[in-house]
């Protein structure tokens, strides 16, 4: 199985409005609720690709109960979330149907106590014994140490399980020092980490900070990967209009599935980029439009960069 970790899971609430008007009353035409958080989105896409996925992290309060109830209805993702006393956060996305733009409001999440953290670590180490790979995803809830992803990376590496790290800011910087097998920042996160806005240079810099491989999401321009043996960039054949929420999570699922299937890097990149673009056409994060995915998969352009001197 593939393990995904979402320390700051959320109940995702999506409002659709005909036209978003700031400083005014907006009439909502459609409301949806679903379990959210980057790792949960990754797990959903993995199961759609035919892989068994187990999701762990924290869930608590009435919001956490609602999240777990909805997750149980999906049946595809195995719930290994650890209960906490605080309430799971909510994220609210407001979709402007006239433009397709999305406005996102994210709560901070529950405070996690030292005892709750110890329970999670015991669960995590047990789950690693059956994992073929693990994805560490997203922001940290209050009370969790900033170096937590470094700790989780070291535990996975001790267990012989490949690690993908998808976070930002100081947790990313600390996590890289623990030498994850793969880090997947987006272009803005990579620039904040390295100070460089040139993706190839920044990805090489990030790799020197500890990651074995760096895969940088470039939005509509695709993805760049820098490994010990080379660098490749993949781009979709055309820009896809829609809601980009969750596109990066689908790319993570593409990279993870390619890892456990031992695909060569160009094929992993093509899958990640096609899934990311197909997610833009889907109604919600953690889903992808299969027709768009199948159409794009064979048309993604993958180019190799010269080896750095």
């Amino acid at each position: 199985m593939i393990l995904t970790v979402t320390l700051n899971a959320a109940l995702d609430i999506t409002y659709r409005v005909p036209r978003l008007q700031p400083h005014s009353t907006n009439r909502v035409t459609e409301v949806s609720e679903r379990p959210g958080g980057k790792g949960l989105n990754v797990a959903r896409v993995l199961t759609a690709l035919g892989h068994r996925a187990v999701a762990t992290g924290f869930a608590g309060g009435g919001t956490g109960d609602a999240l777990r109830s909805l997750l149980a209805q999906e049946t595809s993702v195995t719930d290994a979330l650890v209960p906490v006393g605080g309430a799971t956060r909510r994220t609210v996305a407001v979709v402007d149907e006239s433009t397709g733009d999305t406005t996102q409001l994210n709560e901070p999440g529950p405070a996690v106590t030292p005892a709750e953290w110890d329970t999670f670590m015991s669960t995590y180490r047990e789950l690693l014994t059956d994992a073929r790979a693990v994805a560490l995803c997203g922001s940290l809830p209050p009370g969790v140490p900033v170096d937590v992803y470094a700790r989780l990376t070291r535990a996975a590496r001790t267990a012989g399980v490949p690690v993908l790290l998808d976070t930002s800011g100081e947790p990313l910087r600390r996590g890289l020092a623990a030498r994850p097998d793969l880090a997947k920042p987006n272009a803005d996160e990579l620039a904040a980490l390295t100070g460089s806005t040139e993706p190839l240079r920044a990805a090489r810099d990030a790799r020197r900070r500890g990651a074995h491989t760096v895969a940088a999401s470039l939005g509509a321009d695709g993805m760049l990967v820098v490994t010990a043996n080379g660098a490749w960039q993949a781009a979709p054949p055309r820009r896809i209009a829609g809601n980009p929420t969750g596109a990066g999570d689908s790319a993570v699922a593409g990279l993870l599935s390619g890892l456990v299937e031992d695909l060569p890097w160009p094929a992993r990149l093509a899958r990640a980029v096609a899934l990311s673009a197909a997610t833009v056409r889907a109604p919600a994060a953690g889903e992808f439009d299969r027709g768009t995915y199948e159409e794009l998969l064979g048309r993604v352009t993958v180019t190799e960069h010269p080896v750095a001197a």
Side-chain angles (χ1 to χ4, degrees):
M1 64 88 167
I2 299 176
L3 177 63
T4 71
V5 176
T6 312
L7 296 178
N8 210 7
L11 182 65
D12 285 349
I13 303 169
T14 302
Y15 295 141
R16 304 188 73 89
V17 299
R19 182 183 295 276
L20 181 60
Q21 300 178 358
H23 315 297
S24 179
T25 299
N26 289 268
R27 193 170 300 277
V28 176
T29 58
E30 181 182 337
V31 181
S32 65
E33 292 185 345
R34 61 182 295 144
K38 295 177 73 63
L40 289 173
N41 294 336
V42 172
R44 280 198 203 90
V45 176
L46 284 169
T47 61
L49 294 171
H51 291 272
R52 178 172 168 246
V54 175
T56 190
F58 297 111
T63 313
D65 291 342
L67 182 154
R68 300 187 83 163
S69 176
L70 290 170
L71 190 61
Q73 295 172 28
E74 296 183 11
T75 71
S76 58
V77 176
T78 300
D79 176 357
L81 296 167
V82 174
V84 291
T88 293
R89 66 185 179 133
R90 295 163 295 183
T91 66
V92 179
V94 183
V95 180
D96 185 331
E97 294 179 327
S98 67
T99 63
D101 292 337
T102 300
T103 299
Q104 192 84 15
L105 303 173
N106 294 341
E107 295 180 355
V112 176
T113 68
E116 290 166 344
W117 175 251
D118 289 344
T119 300
F120 168 78
M121 282 301 299
S122 296
T123 300
Y124 176 68
R125 290 192 177 99
E126 182 177 350
L127 290 169
L128 285 174
T129 62
D130 191 38
R132 299 179 64 192
V134 58
L136 308 176
C137 302
S139 62
L140 303 181
V144 172
V146 72
D147 68 343
V148 66
Y149 283 134
R151 301 185 195 183
L152 297 181
T153 296
R154 286 192 289 267
R157 290 179 59 79
T158 298
V161 179
V163 182
L164 184 153
L165 177 61
D166 182 14
T167 188
S168 60
E170 189 64 11
L172 173 61
R173 189 182 71 80
R174 300 279 190 101
L176 288 178
R179 300 187 60 78
D181 296 86
L182 175 61
K184 196 217 71 67
N186 62 33
D188 290 340
E189 292 162 351
L190 197 57
L193 174 73
T194 66
S196 174
T197 58
E198 199 289 305
L200 182 58
R201 178 180 300 172
R204 285 173 170 156
D205 184 349
R207 187 175 173 277
R208 286 191 291 270
R209 293 167 186 253
H212 290 267
T213 297
V214 174
S217 294
L218 306 178
D221 294 326
M223 178 172 283
L224 167 73
V225 66
V226 176
T227 77
N229 301 313
W232 295 265
Q233 187 163 342
R238 56 187 173 86
R239 288 180 176 262
I240 305 296
N243 180 5
T245 304
D249 304 333
S250 292
V252 168
L255 294 171
L256 274 176
S257 61
L259 184 156
V260 299
E261 294 171 29
D262 200 26
L263 296 180
W265 269 111
R268 294 188 206 182
L269 271 182
R271 177 181 290 181
V273 168
L275 281 169
S276 181
T279 297
V280 174
R281 296 292 300 273
E287 299 177 4
F288 63 93
D289 183 88
R290 190 167 291 273
T292 302
Y293 168 63
E294 293 173 352
E295 174 210 342
L296 295 179
L297 184 58
R299 300 175 58 205
V300 172
T301 301
V302 181
T303 56
E304 187 169 4
H305 287 279
V307 175

